[in-house]
Amino acid sequence: ADANRYHPADDAWSAPPPMPTARHGLASAFLDGAVYAITGSMLAGGIDNTATVELLRLDPPQATPTP
């Protein structure tokens, strides 16, 4: 899945690594330099929900599924 990262000091956007699982309606959290993508739905309307949790480390950039 695609994402964008904003750099306020440069007033510029960049693309971090793609997340492994595309979804919508998810929860997210930022903790210790990583963005966590928590659950969500694979299809519109809450159909085909997922229990997947993944994290995106921003320094150095890498996307990682969590166990």
Side-chain angles (χ1 to χ4, degrees), residues 1-52:
D2 295 328
N4 292 298
R5 180 179 178 190
Y6 180 66
H7 305 272
D10 303 326
D11 190 28
W13 292 87
S14 66
M19 296 294 287
T21 307
R23 58 190 136 168
H24 70 94
L26 65 147
S28 62
F30 182 80
L31 178 66
D32 295 329
V35 176
Y36 289 78
I38 306 161
T39 68
S41 179
M42 308 301 279
L43 300 171
I47 302 169
D48 197 16
N49 293 330
T50 179
T52 302

Side-chain angles (χ1 to χ4, degrees), residues 1-5 14-21 35 54-64:
D2 295 328
N4 292 298
R5 180 179 178 190
S14 66
M19 296 294 287
T21 307
V35 176
E54 296 165 341
L55 67 99
L56 173 64
R57 291 216 180 272
L58 300 176
D59 221 356
Q62 72 183 56
T64 308

